[in-house]
Amino acid sequence: ALAFANHAELLRYLQANLRGNETILFKASQSLVFDGFIQHLLADPEDIKKLPRREIFWDGYRKERGL
């Protein structure tokens, strides 16, 4: 298992180590706003609309946390 101090560290690791076509399961508390993180990994930006919590409130919540 791997552990990361923050979303940015995890994102750098994944972008450097993913080869493409992997399937990854993320399990996290809703308070971590992982959907904001995951949108940076999607190959097709159109898939962002399939993620949960796309309402205006959550946009602000993600922005406050640098996502």
Side-chain angles (χ1 to χ4, degrees):
L2 300 171
F4 300 90
N6 54 51
H7 287 138
E9 187 179 308
L10 172 58
L11 184 59
R12 281 191 301 273
Y13 174 83
L14 290 174
Q15 289 173 329
N17 291 284
L18 293 178
R19 295 183 205 121
N21 295 320
E22 289 95 340
T23 299
I24 303 170
L25 172 64
F26 288 98
K27 174 69 175 105
S29 168
Q30 183 174 342
S31 66
L32 292 177
V33 198
F34 242 56
D35 53 300
F37 165 79
I38 292 169
Q39 72 186 23
H40 298 288
L41 297 173
L42 297 173
D44 184 355
E46 284 293 311
D47 289 338
I48 291 173
K49 62 186 172 191
K50 297 176 184 176
L51 294 173
R53 294 177 286 281
R54 298 286 103 191
E55 296 86 10
I56 292 172
F57 168 82
W58 291 106
D59 289 340
Y61 194 84
R62 282 187 291 276
K63 187 175 182 177
E64 288 174 5
R65 285 150 183 80
L67 300 170

